[in-house]
Amino acid sequence: MNSDSFSLSVPRQEFAGWLLSVAAFKFAGVGAVEFHFDKGELLLRSSWGETRMPYQGEFCGKVTIQERRLLTLAKRGGKLQPQPVPVKILIDPSNNILGVDGAEVPAQIVLSPVSAKATTPPKSHPGCVGVKVLTTVLAGLIRKVYPAVPGKKETLKITAAHGQVAFQSSRGVARCEAEVLGAGEWTVPARTFRQVLDTFQGTASVSLEADANGMRLNSFKMPVSYWNALSDPTLGI
């Protein structure tokens, strides 16, 4: 390792899960991905969402990679995700290289400390659904309709209305009570949704917001393949 390089480590599940989730939207235009390292806290940010996690190491600054480089790291992260050890990150400012578990990609590196504030999700508005649910409850719902990891082409239909949230797949329907503002139904890629949700383990609750422009899961957003605003507040399933 170059003497001017920095060696860091981050929690594997949160880091790899987020990269895999963002990479799933490669056709929606992810754009550049930013890594903000600031006094032990890493902020991962792309146009499709952001997340924070702790890191160990001395580097403070900003690292930026392009979308196609993200796919390289995500592919590597997917193979190593089941391992219990932390993700090893190498930052080489001299050569503008970011390494993740041995996979290296070109990067733009700023050494000076850079702080970044998380963006605030927009408030619910007419034609939009807002829901707040315990993370463990949502995790239970997705595993009821998809006991195994969903296939790449599998979809998840989500309906929120009349104080309930319903998950529907070809295998069945699972429901829970929730605080719901508005009424609607939409469809998202099932595997991607589960990957994103898994990165929120340890978070007490999850906020869902959806409309014709997409769905937001806490600070992470994703496109929807189907959207219907329900005027009659019933589940309709």
Side-chain angles (χ1 to χ4, degrees):
M1 183 177 68
N2 190 312
S3 59
D4 295 327
S5 298
F6 298 85
S7 180
L8 314 174
S9 63
V10 295
R12 179 167 299 277
Q13 181 179 18
E14 293 92 330
F15 185 85
W18 190 85
L19 288 183
L20 287 169
S21 300
V22 174
F25 304 131
K26 57 181 179 291
F27 298 114
V30 172
V33 178
E34 299 175 352
F35 300 69
H36 295 266
F37 296 88
D38 187 11
K39 299 177 182 178
E41 182 180 64
L42 167 60
L43 168 64
L44 286 168
R45 172 182 288 172
S46 79
S47 60
W48 285 100
E50 59 191 36
T51 190
R52 291 178 182 268
M53 66 190 67
Y55 74 90
Q56 294 184 343
E58 300 300 322
F59 179 77
C60 278
K62 176 182 174 181
V63 179
T64 304
I65 62 172
Q66 296 305 309
E67 176 181 353
R68 64 184 182 277
R69 307 304 181 184
L70 167 70
L71 302 180
T72 299
L73 297 183
K75 184 176 180 180
R76 175 70 170 171
K79 295 179 179 179
L80 299 175
Q81 191 175 21
Q83 296 187 14
V85 297
V87 171
K88 297 299 182 182
I89 295 179
L90 173 68
I91 299 175
D92 184 352
S94 299
N95 298 301
N96 287 313
I97 292 294
L98 171 68
V100 176
D101 279 342
E104 296 185 346
V105 297
Q108 296 178 348
I109 300 173
V110 179
L111 287 173
S112 57
V114 177
S115 296
K117 294 182 179 179
T119 56
T120 302
K123 295 181 179 179
S124 297
H125 50 79
C128 178
V129 173
V131 185
K132 190 170 184 179
V133 190
L134 292 175
T135 305
T136 53
V137 172
L138 280 189
L141 290 186
I142 188 68
R143 282 165 174 77
K144 284 182 180 179
V145 296
Y146 283 110
V149 177
K152 291 182 179 180
K153 295 184 179 180
E154 297 274 13
T155 60
L156 174 69
K157 180 181 179 182
I158 303 175
T159 307
H162 200 51
Q164 285 191 325
V165 174
F167 283 6
Q168 182 176 7
S169 75
S170 58
R171 296 164 178 77
V173 181
R175 300 181 177 88
C176 72
E177 294 184 356
E179 179 183 346
V180 180
L181 177 63
E185 57 186 11
W186 62 97
T187 302
V188 295
R191 176 180 290 188
T192 300
F193 181 88
R194 178 165 166 169
Q195 287 175 337
V196 175
L197 186 60
D198 284 346
T199 68
F200 296 136
Q201 289 187 13
T203 303
S205 61
V206 174
S207 295
L208 293 176
E209 186 172 277
D211 61 16
N213 297 317
M215 185 191 78
R216 184 179 290 273
L217 184 65
N218 280 5
S219 63
F220 197 96
K221 63 180 181 180
M222 66 178 70
V224 297
S225 56
Y226 165 81
W227 161 259
N228 180 36
L230 299 177
S231 57
D232 183 14
T234 62
L235 283 176
I237 296 177

